Amino acid sequence: LMFDYCAEPGVLSGLTWWSCYLTTGKQFDFYLSFGTVLLLLGLTMPFILLLGFSGALARRSRFLPLRWLGLTYTSMVRGIPDIIFFMFALIALDQGIEYLRHIVLCPDWTEPIRQGSDFRVCPAAKMPLGNSPQWVHEVYGFFLAMIGFAVVFGAFAANTIYGAMAA
Protein backbone atom coordinates (compact mmCIF):
# COMPACT_ATOMS: atom_id res chain seq x y z
CA LEU A 1 0.00 0.00 0.00
CA MET A 2 2.72 2.42 -0.98
CA PHE A 3 1.75 5.97 -1.86
CA ASP A 4 2.60 7.44 -5.27
CA TYR A 5 5.03 9.92 -3.77
CA CYS A 6 7.07 7.03 -2.33
CA ALA A 7 8.55 6.29 -5.79
CA GLU A 8 11.42 8.74 -5.13
CA PRO A 9 12.64 8.03 -1.60
CA GLY A 10 15.64 10.35 -1.95
CA VAL A 11 13.47 13.46 -1.95
CA LEU A 12 11.33 12.48 1.02
CA SER A 13 11.67 13.87 4.50
CA GLY A 14 9.70 14.17 7.69
CA LEU A 15 6.20 12.71 7.80
CA THR A 16 6.15 11.77 4.12
CA TRP A 17 9.26 9.63 4.63
CA TRP A 18 7.66 7.98 7.66
CA SER A 19 4.41 7.37 5.79
CA CYS A 20 6.34 5.54 3.09
CA TYR A 21 8.48 3.59 5.54
CA LEU A 22 5.58 2.48 7.73
CA THR A 23 3.51 1.21 4.80
CA THR A 24 6.02 -1.20 3.25
CA GLY A 25 5.34 -4.91 2.96
CA LYS A 26 7.96 -5.67 5.62
CA GLN A 27 6.23 -3.31 8.04
CA PHE A 28 2.84 -4.95 7.39
CA ASP A 29 4.41 -8.36 8.12
CA PHE A 30 5.72 -6.86 11.35
CA TYR A 31 2.22 -5.60 12.24
CA LEU A 32 0.75 -9.02 11.40
CA SER A 33 3.21 -10.67 13.80
CA PHE A 34 1.72 -8.64 16.66
CA GLY A 35 -1.74 -9.84 15.71
CA THR A 36 -0.49 -13.43 15.60
CA VAL A 37 0.94 -13.18 19.12
CA LEU A 38 -2.28 -11.61 20.43
CA LEU A 39 -4.32 -14.39 18.79
CA LEU A 40 -1.94 -16.96 20.30
CA LEU A 41 -2.38 -15.48 23.76
CA GLY A 42 -6.15 -15.19 23.37
CA LEU A 43 -6.55 -18.82 22.34
CA THR A 44 -4.11 -20.03 24.99
CA MET A 45 -5.57 -18.08 27.91
CA PRO A 46 -8.01 -20.83 29.04
CA PHE A 47 -5.13 -23.33 29.17
CA ILE A 48 -2.92 -20.83 31.00
CA LEU A 49 -5.62 -20.36 33.62
CA LEU A 50 -6.23 -24.10 33.85
CA LEU A 51 -2.54 -24.77 34.46
CA GLY A 52 -2.38 -21.79 36.82
CA PHE A 53 -5.26 -22.96 38.99
CA SER A 54 -4.02 -26.57 38.86
CA GLY A 55 -0.50 -25.56 39.87
CA ALA A 56 -1.76 -23.34 42.69
CA LEU A 57 -4.08 -26.03 44.02
CA ALA A 58 -1.30 -28.60 43.76
CA ARG A 59 1.03 -26.34 45.78
CA ARG A 60 -1.64 -26.03 48.48
CA SER A 61 -2.43 -29.73 48.52
CA ARG A 62 -2.11 -31.71 51.74
CA PHE A 63 -1.00 -34.73 49.67
CA LEU A 64 2.79 -34.31 49.76
CA PRO A 65 3.66 -35.76 46.30
CA LEU A 66 1.06 -33.50 44.67
CA ARG A 67 2.39 -30.48 46.58
CA TRP A 68 5.92 -31.34 45.41
CA LEU A 69 4.67 -31.62 41.83
CA GLY A 70 3.05 -28.18 42.03
CA LEU A 71 6.13 -26.65 43.63
CA THR A 72 8.44 -28.29 41.09
CA TYR A 73 6.32 -27.06 38.18
CA THR A 74 6.11 -23.47 39.34
CA SER A 75 9.73 -23.24 40.53
CA MET A 76 11.30 -25.03 37.59
CA VAL A 77 9.39 -23.18 34.89
CA ARG A 78 9.91 -19.80 36.53
CA GLY A 79 13.60 -20.55 37.09
CA ILE A 80 14.35 -21.53 33.49
CA PRO A 81 14.58 -18.64 31.03
CA ASP A 82 11.50 -18.36 28.80
CA ILE A 83 13.63 -18.50 25.67
CA ILE A 84 14.54 -22.10 26.60
CA PHE A 85 10.88 -23.10 26.57
CA PHE A 86 9.91 -21.10 23.52
CA MET A 87 12.77 -22.35 21.41
CA PHE A 88 14.37 -25.52 22.72
CA ALA A 89 11.69 -27.26 24.78
CA LEU A 90 9.23 -27.06 21.87
CA ILE A 91 11.82 -28.46 19.48
CA ALA A 92 12.38 -31.31 21.94
CA LEU A 93 8.60 -31.85 22.18
CA ASP A 94 8.32 -31.95 18.39
CA GLN A 95 11.20 -34.40 18.15
CA GLY A 96 9.68 -36.51 20.93
CA ILE A 97 6.41 -36.74 19.00
CA GLU A 98 8.26 -37.70 15.83
CA TYR A 99 10.39 -40.23 17.73
CA LEU A 100 7.31 -41.97 19.16
CA ARG A 101 5.67 -41.99 15.73
CA HIS A 102 8.91 -43.40 14.30
CA ILE A 103 8.94 -46.28 16.80
CA VAL A 104 5.32 -47.17 16.01
CA LEU A 105 5.23 -46.54 12.24
CA CYS A 106 8.73 -47.64 11.20
CA PRO A 107 9.83 -50.63 13.29
CA ASP A 108 12.06 -51.94 10.47
CA TRP A 109 14.15 -48.72 10.25
CA THR A 110 17.86 -49.55 10.64
CA GLU A 111 19.59 -46.16 10.38
CA PRO A 112 20.34 -44.24 13.57
CA ILE A 113 17.87 -41.44 14.30
CA ARG A 114 20.54 -39.10 15.60
CA GLN A 115 23.20 -38.54 12.97
CA GLY A 116 25.52 -35.91 14.40
CA SER A 117 23.40 -32.81 14.80
CA ASP A 118 20.70 -34.16 12.47
CA PHE A 119 17.48 -35.77 13.69
CA ARG A 120 16.25 -38.18 11.01
CA VAL A 121 13.11 -40.24 11.30
CA CYS A 122 11.34 -42.14 8.54
CA PRO A 123 9.16 -39.99 6.25
CA ALA A 124 5.97 -41.56 7.64
CA ALA A 125 6.88 -40.39 11.17
CA LYS A 126 7.28 -36.72 10.27
CA MET A 127 4.84 -34.49 12.09
CA PRO A 128 3.12 -33.18 10.08
CA LEU A 129 3.86 -35.26 7.02
CA GLY A 130 6.17 -33.67 4.47
CA ASN A 131 3.48 -33.72 1.77
CA SER A 132 0.91 -31.96 3.99
CA PRO A 133 -0.31 -28.55 2.86
CA GLN A 134 1.50 -25.51 4.25
CA TRP A 135 -1.43 -24.52 6.47
CA VAL A 136 -1.13 -27.86 8.31
CA HIS A 137 2.52 -27.12 9.12
CA GLU A 138 1.58 -23.64 10.33
CA VAL A 139 -1.29 -24.89 12.50
CA TYR A 140 1.01 -27.52 14.01
CA GLY A 141 3.64 -24.87 14.79
CA PHE A 142 0.93 -22.64 16.27
CA PHE A 143 -0.24 -25.57 18.42
CA LEU A 144 3.31 -26.13 19.71
CA ALA A 145 3.55 -22.42 20.50
CA MET A 146 0.28 -22.67 22.42
CA ILE A 147 1.75 -25.47 24.53
CA GLY A 148 4.85 -23.40 25.24
CA PHE A 149 2.86 -20.31 26.19
CA ALA A 150 0.50 -22.35 28.38
CA VAL A 151 3.34 -24.03 30.29
CA VAL A 152 5.36 -20.86 30.85
CA PHE A 153 2.56 -18.43 31.62
CA GLY A 154 0.63 -21.10 33.53
CA ALA A 155 3.53 -21.29 36.00
CA PHE A 156 3.46 -17.51 36.45
CA ALA A 157 -0.31 -17.64 36.93
CA ALA A 158 0.08 -20.50 39.42
CA ASN A 159 2.43 -18.44 41.54
CA THR A 160 0.10 -15.44 41.45
CA ILE A 161 -2.98 -17.52 42.27
CA TYR A 162 -1.07 -19.37 45.00
CA GLY A 163 -0.11 -16.04 46.56
CA ALA A 164 -3.71 -14.86 46.40
CA MET A 165 -4.93 -18.07 48.03
CA ALA A 166 -2.30 -17.81 50.74
CA ALA A 167 -3.29 -14.20 51.46
Side-chain angles (χ1 to χ4, degrees), residues 23-119:
T23 58
T24 63
K26 291 277 186 199
Q27 289 299 115
F28 281 115
D29 287 344
F30 182 66
Y31 306 145
L32 183 62
S33 69
F34 280 95
T36 302
V37 170
L38 290 175
L39 176 66
L40 177 64
L41 285 172
L43 292 175
T44 309
M45 191 59 61
F47 304 108
I48 292 171
L49 291 174
L50 179 69
L51 282 174
F53 278 110
S54 299
L57 290 173
R59 283 188 65 182
R60 292 184 52 86
S61 174
R62 292 187 180 164
F63 184 59
L64 191 60
L66 187 58
R67 185 170 52 226
W68 285 344
L69 181 67
L71 185 62
T72 300
Y73 166 62
T74 57
S75 299
M76 183 180 72
V77 171
R78 291 213 47 219
I80 296 172
D82 294 348
I83 193 73
I84 299 295
F85 278 99
F86 294 137
M87 293 187 69
F88 303 115
L90 298 180
I91 291 170
L93 175 63
D94 179 45
Q95 288 183 352
I97 292 168
E98 287 186 356
Y99 178 74
L100 292 175
R101 287 175 51 94
H102 177 83
I103 290 171
V104 171
L105 298 174
C106 307
D108 55 339
W109 186 270
T110 57
E111 294 179 44
I113 293 174
R114 298 239 178 248
Q115 298 177 10
S117 62
D118 292 338
F119 180 80

Side-chain angles (χ1 to χ4, degrees), residues 11-23:
V11 297
L12 299 175
S13 65
L15 290 177
T16 55
W17 182 89
W18 279 105
S19 68
C20 292
Y21 175 72
L22 295 174
T23 58

